[in-house]
Amino acid sequence: MKGYFKRLEISRAVANLRKSGKIVGFVPTMGALHAGHISLIDFAFSHQCDTVVVSIFVNPTQFNNKEDLEHYPRTLEKDLAILKPYGEKVIVFTPEPEEVYGEEVKSKVYDFEGLDKVMEGAFRPGHFEGVGTVLSHLFEIVKPDKAFFGEKDFQQLQIIKKLVAIEQIPVEIIGAPINRNEDGLAQSSRNVRLTPEHTEAAPFIYKILKQVREDFNEKSIDQLKQWVEEAFAAHELLKLEYFEIADQNTLKPAKNGSKSGDFRAFIAVFAGDIRLIDTLSLT
Ligand code: PAF
């Protein structure tokens, strides 16, 4: 593993690799690496990348809650140890905020054509402008051939594709399937903060999504939503924030009677103080 800690060095290293014909992949992260990140890096190598840049940067502008930002797990030593076995094939970039943003750590204003107004965007105002801004800066610094994002954050993935189109950034955006624990829980950096009780309870989320997929052709959208709401209302440890069924391209909520399209279920749940999201394709 190579560590480049300055933006100029990383830009030069990637430019040299690309000049010599190597394909450079990029996996942006906020650290607290887990098996999901590793599978994303491996996914990048299985998509013809010769070298993968992994950035570790807890991006302040995408947190709409100060406490969430303060408590976000920061485990740099452990993260670097996890990446070490990749040797020189992985380049780690751990910038300071000013290296990414310059003097003013501030979000840009984007028109994501409504993709950012529903679900995560509705509950986390400003979140996607923060994500778009940091990625716009990181793409400008790294200039990779391809960038990889997990489908757990499916709304984020669609918004990143829109960002790249709006800013005409020459990078291929590739989504990777969700990594799940054996019990079905989607892997996330936040999982390490779950209490043992909540860890045991959390796989209920995926169980519910699978049941929705099973019932999708038989029940109406309203019936499915009501069933999910009731299932969580009866649960002692998990609190539903939202459940939505939406077209996976436009992210527009599905309406009763209109089941032709590529639909996907999206969910956000609180397990104590920890907010977990998940998603499942229904078609
Ligand atoms: O998905 C994440 O971890 C973050 O939103 C990202 C893409 C690294 C931007 O900070």
Side-chain angles (χ1 to χ4, degrees), residues 49-239:
C49 293
D50 299 296
T51 302
V52 175
V53 176
V54 177
S55 61
I56 298 176
F57 179 63
V58 181
N59 172 36
T61 63
Q62 72 188 75
F63 287 83
N64 55 318
N65 175 335
K66 218 174 131 224
E67 275 186 23
D68 197 18
L69 170 61
E70 275 166 16
H71 292 125
Y72 200 84
R74 288 164 174 85
T75 57
L76 185 59
E77 290 302 310
K78 209 169 137 212
D79 294 347
L80 295 176
I82 288 174
L83 297 174
K84 209 167 170 197
Y86 287 99
E88 304 223 328
K89 286 165 68 127
V90 162
I91 297 177
V92 190
F93 183 42
T94 59
E96 294 299 324
E98 57 275 19
E99 275 182 88
V100 176
Y101 281 93
E103 268 170 27
E104 218 180 355
V105 182
K106 199 176 154 206
S107 284
K108 299 187 209 177
V109 177
Y110 287 106
D111 178 4
F112 292 125
E113 295 174 11
L115 290 175
D116 58 333
K117 299 290 180 258
V118 290
M119 299 183 290
E120 288 303 284
F123 285 89
R124 303 179 71 190
H127 168 69
F128 286 119
E129 290 195 322
V131 171
T133 305
V134 76
L135 289 175
S136 147
H137 291 307
L138 289 172
F139 286 144
E140 176 60 27
I141 296 168
V142 178
K143 293 200 172 68
D145 293 285
K146 309 178 186 204
F148 298 85
F149 298 88
E151 284 184 352
K152 182 170 80 70
D153 298 292
F154 195 87
Q155 186 174 8
Q156 167 173 279
L157 175 64
Q158 298 300 51
I159 288 171
I160 294 167
K161 287 181 179 164
K162 179 69 75 189
L163 167 81
V164 162
I166 294 171
E167 295 203 333
Q168 300 191 359
I169 304 171
V171 60
E172 186 184 350
I173 303 298
I174 301 173
I178 298 178
N179 240 50
R180 297 186 181 278
N181 294 345
E182 257 175 42
D183 58 17
L185 178 64
Q187 289 173 357
S188 159
S189 300
R190 291 168 200 264
N191 293 356
V192 294
R193 292 174 56 207
L194 293 169
T195 63
E197 263 186 320
H198 286 126
T199 303
E200 209 173 299
F204 182 74
I205 301 168
Y206 184 52
K207 229 171 111 187
I208 289 288
L209 291 183
K210 281 197 302 186
Q211 192 60 50
V212 168
R213 185 172 61 189
E214 229 176 282
D215 295 345
F216 187 62
N217 291 325
E218 275 80 56
K219 291 189 180 166
S220 72
I221 302 292
D222 282 350
Q223 281 171 331
L224 289 166
K225 283 186 170 180
Q226 196 183 337
W227 179 76
V228 173
E229 277 162 24
E230 284 170 4
F232 279 96
H235 200 290
E236 282 180 7
L237 290 169
L238 302 175
K239 195 168 156 272

